[in-house]
Amino acid sequence: MKLLRYGAAGAEKPGLLDSEGKIRDLSGVVGDIAGDTLLPDGLAKLRAIDQATLPLVEGDPRLGPCVAGTGKFICIGLNYSDHAAETGATVPPEPIIFMKATSAIVGPNDAIEIPRGSEKTDWEVELGVVIGKTAKYVSEDEAMDHVAGYCVINDVSERAFQIERHGQWTKGKSADTFGPTGPWLVTADEVEDPQKLAMWLEVNGHRYQNGSTATMVYGVRYLVSYLSQFMSLRPGDIISTGTPPGVGLGLKPPTFLKAGDVVTLGIEGLGTQRQVCVQG
């Protein structure tokens, strides 16, 4: 299934994308794409519905973040060896973990706000993993049972805030609008192998990132198990798994976003995003 949330920001309704690419309303079935809806039994209940019986959503509504109630937005740094090389870093012996504030989460096509004082706002297409069942001290063999599905994420980053102002990375990752998420939550049963997905990102029509999840250093199975050793992962939590090469920081000369730029990105089978940059 392709689950989604549509409507005005803060007032989104749950929905799904049917086999014809039309939005169907789920608000008569579930309260939101969150919590118990993401549990295996909750997803099974949705799969059993005849989609043709659900109300059709007319027009072209705004799409919100594809999951609600996210308690933790966990990111993995330098998880593609070729991206690490372009930024002058080495692949870490264990995953680099940092948090992105959940207040950064926005819809897939909402504007990116360039923060005040920013000169180095950057882009990163990433595979998002949405947790569906609480994971605590799970093995790699058990890990995938705890994944509800996958989505596209743009891990927008302000490099000067992240790197040059000392301390941890979080302050360069957490500005409002720095977490476009969606358009859909594609349930795990529809993704044959999350480690074989093509991914890309363009700015103003120029393709900067053209990679694949096949080159991840630490894959989805490992990451879910690894993270669960340090914290419980709960329904709606998001793991953003790192980016392939082609970010602005790694270009010669480095290139960063400015107001008016248009960012488009996507992952095979998971949909696309489009954001216009505005001054915050």
Side-chain angles (χ1 to χ4, degrees), residues 1-273:
M1 293 178 294
K2 293 181 173 68
L3 303 176
L4 55 87
R5 301 171 67 248
Y6 70 95
E12 292 93 347
K13 295 181 179 180
L16 60 76
L17 198 72
D18 70 15
S19 58
E20 297 181 353
K22 298 177 180 178
I23 297 176
R24 299 279 179 168
D25 180 54
L26 280 173
S27 57
V29 182
V30 295
D32 210 339
I33 308 301
D36 290 350
T37 300
L38 299 170
L39 293 170
D41 287 350
L43 295 179
K45 177 183 176 182
L46 295 182
R47 287 191 194 96
I49 296 171
D50 180 356
Q51 296 182 359
T53 65
L54 296 170
L56 190 63
V57 177
E58 302 292 344
D60 186 23
R62 169 190 174 270
L63 295 179
C66 59
V67 62
T70 297
K72 292 188 287 295
F73 196 159
I74 308 166
C75 299
I76 308 299
L78 303 175
N79 197 27
Y80 288 70
S81 56
D82 35 11
H83 168 58
E86 75 171 344
T87 59
T90 56
V91 174
E94 292 189 43
I96 291 176
I97 302 170
F98 62 93
M99 294 292 194
K100 199 174 185 85
T102 56
S103 54
I105 298 173
V106 291
N109 304 317
D110 290 344
I112 293 173
E113 294 181 8
I114 307 294
R116 295 179 186 179
S118 166
E119 295 181 353
K120 297 183 179 181
T121 296
D122 205 347
W123 58 82
E124 296 188 16
V125 59
E126 304 203 0
L127 173 67
V129 180
V130 178
I131 298 299
K133 183 174 70 170
T134 296
K136 186 174 183 178
Y137 300 123
V138 300
S139 68
E140 288 188 55
D141 288 341
E142 302 168 307
M144 302 306 274
D145 295 337
H146 298 264
V147 174
Y150 305 93
C151 62
V152 181
I153 289 175
N154 187 356
D155 176 20
V156 187
S157 310
E158 212 300 339
R159 300 302 188 185
F161 298 176
Q162 176 191 355
I163 300 168
E164 299 172 22
R165 296 186 59 176
H166 306 288
Q168 297 182 339
W169 290 1
T170 303
K171 63 179 175 288
K173 296 283 189 171
S174 296
D176 293 351
T177 76
F178 270 25
T181 301
W184 318 305
L185 167 58
V186 181
T187 52
D189 60 302
E190 292 199 4
V191 179
E192 184 175 351
D193 186 348
Q195 304 305 153
K196 292 183 179 180
L197 302 177
M199 54 204 307
W200 57 272
L201 183 144
E202 297 177 353
V203 180
N204 300 328
H206 179 84
R207 183 159 296 196
Y208 287 100
Q209 291 190 277
N210 199 27
S212 169
T213 59
T215 64
M216 271 188 200
V217 177
Y218 301 106
V220 172
R221 183 184 301 275
Y222 180 87
L223 289 173
V224 172
S225 173
Y226 180 84
L227 290 169
S228 79
Q229 310 306 310
F230 303 102
M231 66 193 84
S232 61
L233 305 175
R234 297 177 178 173
D237 286 352
I238 297 171
I239 306 169
S240 198
T241 56
T243 198
V247 300
L249 178 66
L251 301 176
K252 298 187 184 342
T255 302
F256 299 108
L257 297 171
K258 60 186 184 302
D261 285 347
V262 178
V263 184
T264 52
L265 59 149
I267 298 179
E268 180 183 358
L270 304 185
T272 61
Q273 300 184 352

